[in-house]
């Protein structure tokens, strides 16, 4: 058997010399193809040995190797980080990458990535410039703050602010605002990392300005307000207003800092805006670049010139530095806000501000397309229903967005359908409710609808596996 096997199963080099494999080498790289061929040969040898099968003809061997190698390379090419279609209706789905970018932001990323840029170059003087200068003026304009600094995410922004302004000193925070954002980001722990000592005041449901005042000592550096962006305290509850916190802080000559979390630049469903926090007199305000702003993941810090300058000089500022692609995307997104074009052009804001009627007609078009699919689908039924979605990403807790979904019933059952949609090359993420698979059109982007319809058609054609 083994000598016969050696005769049938070619050597790796021999396979690699064949034109189809040379062609694969051009698109996948020679090393990858060599490894894939080795794996395919091993597998083929093992299958023949294990199954004691009749020996295939040489052309059969060649075909089998080519198809297996193509599959191995395809699977390797299919990056684990890849596009999915978000049918959940949750625009800031944390697991699905939070906010999609505006077209102009994507273009800016491509430009910044493609060539050289004025990232840290001042064309007027021909000398070194600051990457911060590009966004600073825009942020100052949009928030009316004195100055601004951007870092790679908001968790980093909070860490930097505390490290630079409150190291080895105390920071007073309301018990009701000791937020855990998720993924191990808890305000008390970030404070500890930043070298600040936490002084909790008030109770979970009530904290007054006087509670902050009583906690101030000679060692206090700042009063910190944290926007409870991912939960709400309702009922018998009270919190000191940001104006009150600022008043107390400044009366004692200490800083007032606010972590806004999902900072909205424009009024959005009752969320506090960054400009409001700045106008209240906060010395430092930190917020996310994606969440409710709809730009790239980034941490934005705005506030008093002198405080921002201290942050900029801290060594952590370098460690948390924003990269050029993020900077390009952020800049382009902020420019849309300056033009007042954000609601139509920032996808996240479009999803949150569009009239629900628009989603009804999108759902109806989708349902009609599904119901019109060919013969294989008689037992499938798609129906439009009103539904509610949350924004996700730990933002706007409790806020329900009215919308519409397409509810699909199929002969393969909802569990199998949800799974088959999810396991496609371009995974389609939907949810199940009352034995139906729900497709919410709110977060569908260009080309997604066609993809969903094609997927359902293919799944129907496969039938029950
Ligand atoms: C989301 C959030 C953060 C963290 O922001 P990232 O952009 O995810 O780093 C920090 N603080 C609050 C209050 C938040 O809501």
């Amino acid at each position: 058997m083994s000598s016969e096997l050696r005769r049938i199963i070619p050597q790796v080099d021999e396979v690699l010399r064949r034109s189809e494999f040379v062609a694969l080498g051009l698109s996948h790289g020679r090393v990858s193809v060599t490894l894939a061929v080795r794996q395919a040969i091993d597998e083929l040898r093992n299958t023949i040995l294990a199954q004691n099968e009749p020996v295939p003809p040489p052309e059969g061997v060649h075909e089998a190797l080519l198809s297996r190698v193509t599959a191995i390379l395809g699977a390797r090419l299919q990056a684990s980080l890849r596009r999915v279609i978000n049918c959940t209706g949750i625009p800031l789905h944390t697991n699905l990458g939070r906010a999609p970018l505006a077209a102009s932001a994507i273009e800016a990323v491509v430009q910044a990535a493609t060539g050289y840029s004025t990232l840290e170059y001042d064309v007027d003087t021909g000398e070194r410039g600051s990457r911060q200068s590009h966004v600073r003026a825009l942020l100052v304009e949009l928030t009316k703050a004195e100055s601004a600094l951007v870092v790679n995410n908001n968790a980093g922004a909070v860490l930097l602010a505390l490290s630079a302004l409150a190291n080895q000193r105390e920071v007073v925070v309301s018990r009701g605002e000791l937020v855990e954002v998720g993924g191990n980001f808890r305000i008390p722990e970030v404070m500890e990392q930043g070298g600040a000592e936490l002084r909790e005041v008030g109770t979970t449901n009530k904290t007054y300005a006087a509670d902050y005042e009583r906690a101030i000592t000679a060692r206090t550096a700042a009063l910190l307000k944290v926007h409870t962006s991912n939960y709400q305290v309702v009922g018998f509850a009270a919190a000191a207003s940001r104006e009150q916190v600022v008043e107390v802080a400044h009366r004692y000559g200490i800083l007032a800092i606010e972590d806004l979390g999902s900072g909205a630049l424009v009024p959005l469903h009752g969320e506090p805006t960054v400009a409001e926090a700045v106008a209240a007199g906060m010395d430092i305000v930190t917020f996310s670049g994606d969440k409710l702003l709809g730009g790239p993941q980034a941490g934005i810090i705005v506030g008093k010139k002198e405080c921002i300058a201290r942050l900029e000089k801290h060594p952590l500022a370098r460690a948390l530095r924003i990269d050029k692609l993020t900077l390009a995307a952020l800049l382009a997104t902020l420019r849309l806000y300056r033009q007042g074009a954000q609601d139509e052009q920032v996808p996240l804001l479009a999803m949150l501000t569009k009239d629900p009627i628009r989603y009804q007609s999108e759902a109806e078009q989708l349902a009609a397309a599904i119901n019109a699919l060919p013969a294989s689908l008689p037992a499938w039924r798609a129906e439009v229903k009103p539904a509610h979605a949350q924004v996700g990403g730990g933002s706007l807790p409790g806020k329900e967005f009215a919308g519409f979904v397409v509810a699909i019933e199929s002969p393969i059952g909802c569990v199998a359908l949800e799974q088959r949609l999810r396991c496609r090359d371009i995974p389609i993420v939907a949810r199940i409710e009352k034995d139906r698979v729900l497709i919410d059109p709110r977060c569908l982007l260009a080309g997604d609808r066609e993809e969903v319809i094609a997927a359902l058609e293919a799944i129907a054609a496969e039938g029950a596996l």
Side-chain angles (χ1 to χ4, degrees):
M1 186 71 189
S2 77
S3 67
E4 207 184 344
L5 257 186
R6 230 173 288 131
R7 187 179 55 75
I8 317 156
I9 298 192
Q11 300 283 313
V12 175
D13 285 345
E14 192 186 327
V15 175
L16 286 173
R17 275 195 298 273
R18 299 189 71 138
S19 61
E20 298 92 325
F21 291 88
V22 172
L24 281 175
L26 293 178
S27 47
H28 295 266
R30 216 180 134 75
V31 177
S32 297
V33 177
T34 308
L35 290 172
V37 167
R38 202 166 283 152
Q39 181 185 337
I41 288 178
D42 284 345
E43 286 173 7
L44 185 64
R45 182 184 299 114
N46 293 339
T47 324
I48 295 175
L49 285 176
Q51 299 175 355
N52 216 0
E53 279 188 355
V55 172
E59 263 325 291
V61 168
H62 175 67
E63 297 257 302
L65 284 179
L66 182 60
S67 97
R68 183 64 191 127
V69 166
T70 310
I72 293 169
L73 291 171
R76 198 172 297 163
L77 251 197
Q78 190 176 58
S80 93
L81 176 61
R82 61 194 209 265
R83 169 186 171 202
V84 308
I85 295 175
N86 178 3
C87 295
T88 64
I90 301 173
L92 272 181
H93 203 300
T94 308
N95 304 140
L96 304 183
R98 299 212 309 215
L101 291 177
S104 63
I106 294 165
E107 201 178 300
V109 171
V110 172
Q111 274 210 13
T114 306
Y116 299 101
S117 62
T118 55
L119 182 67
E120 293 189 353
Y121 185 69
D122 185 333
V123 282
D124 292 331
T125 62
E127 283 169 14
R128 175 165 197 219
S130 155
R131 67 178 63 205
Q132 298 291 340
S133 66
H134 306 286
V135 273
R136 180 166 289 148
L138 258 176
L139 283 168
V140 163
E141 186 182 328
L142 290 166
T143 67
K144 306 283 184 285
E146 288 176 15
S147 187
L149 178 71
V150 289
V151 292
N152 61 15
N153 61 44
N154 186 37
V158 178
L159 178 64
L160 174 60
L162 293 173
S163 305
L165 303 173
N167 190 30
Q168 307 304 318
R169 298 185 59 195
E170 289 180 0
V171 173
V172 183
V173 190
S174 159
R175 277 211 170 84
E177 297 178 359
L178 291 173
V179 179
E180 170 175 318
V181 177
N184 293 328
F185 182 87
R186 288 174 161 183
I187 289 294
E189 284 156 27
V190 177
M191 292 184 65
E192 200 182 313
Q193 260 322 302
E197 278 166 50
L198 170 66
R199 285 276 286 135
E200 288 177 48
V201 294
T203 59
T204 308
N205 57 333
K206 291 210 173 197
T207 304
Y208 302 99
D211 294 322
Y212 286 92
E213 186 165 356
R214 267 200 302 278
I216 296 174
T217 70
R219 302 194 54 238
T220 309
L223 307 186
L224 172 66
K225 242 187 120 48
V226 182
H227 177 45
T228 54
S229 58
N230 58 1
Y231 67 99
Q232 283 176 318
V233 181
V234 293
F236 190 59
S241 71
R242 54 174 64 83
E243 284 79 6
Q244 289 174 318
V245 171
V246 167
E247 190 277 320
V248 173
H250 291 173
R251 186 143 46 81
Y252 285 84
I254 58 176
L255 299 172
I257 301 176
E258 179 159 14
D259 174 16
L260 264 184
S262 50
L265 284 181
V266 288
L268 189 68
H269 304 291
E271 277 292 284
T273 64
V274 179
E276 271 167 53
V278 170
M282 286 288 168
D283 297 290
I284 285 287
V285 181
T286 66
F287 56 103
S288 273
D290 53 355
K291 286 198 183 164
L292 292 184
L293 203 155
Q297 177 200 298
I300 305 177
I301 309 168
V302 298
K304 304 275 163 67
K305 237 187 191 122
E306 186 263 336
C307 293
I308 297 284
R310 279 166 71 190
L311 264 55
E312 217 168 352
K313 285 197 211 92
H314 194 276
L316 263 183
R318 179 62 166 79
L320 298 168
R321 185 164 82 157
I322 189 167
D323 95 294
K324 65 176 180 181
L325 304 185
T326 309
L327 188 69
L330 182 61
L331 192 54
T333 309
L334 292 174
R335 288 165 72 107
L336 292 175
Y337 277 88
R338 185 172 60 185
Q339 291 158 22
Q342 70 278 352
D343 283 5
E344 316 85 65
Q345 297 194 25
V346 174
L348 174 78
L349 293 187
M351 291 169 192
L352 297 182
T353 56
K354 244 202 271 187
D355 188 336
I357 289 296
R358 301 260 298 272
Y359 293 116
Q360 181 172 21
S361 77
E362 283 173 33
E364 272 161 5
Q365 284 172 46
L366 185 58
I370 295 168
N371 287 326
L373 283 175
S376 47
L377 285 181
W380 290 59
R381 212 158 65 89
E383 188 183 14
V384 174
K385 292 182 162 305
H388 285 88
Q390 300 221 340
V391 62
S395 298
L396 294 172
K399 167 83 190 160
E400 298 262 292
F401 288 85
F404 291 86
V405 293
V406 179
I408 304 172
E409 268 180 284
S410 84
I412 64 172
C414 59
V415 174
L417 179 57
E418 184 277 334
Q419 195 230 356
R420 282 209 226 166
L421 286 167
R422 178 161 41 80
C423 294
R424 294 181 61 82
D425 281 352
I426 301 172
I428 296 173
V429 182
R431 67 178 198 276
I432 296 176
E433 203 179 280
K434 295 195 183 124
D435 293 336
R436 293 173 184 199
V437 171
L438 302 188
I439 309 271
D440 190 321
R442 185 183 301 270
C443 307
L444 296 187
L445 301 168
D448 284 355
R449 182 171 15 132
E450 295 70 19
E451 202 66 59
V452 170
I453 295 168
L456 289 169
E457 190 172 7
I459 292 168
E462 287 161 16
L465 288 179

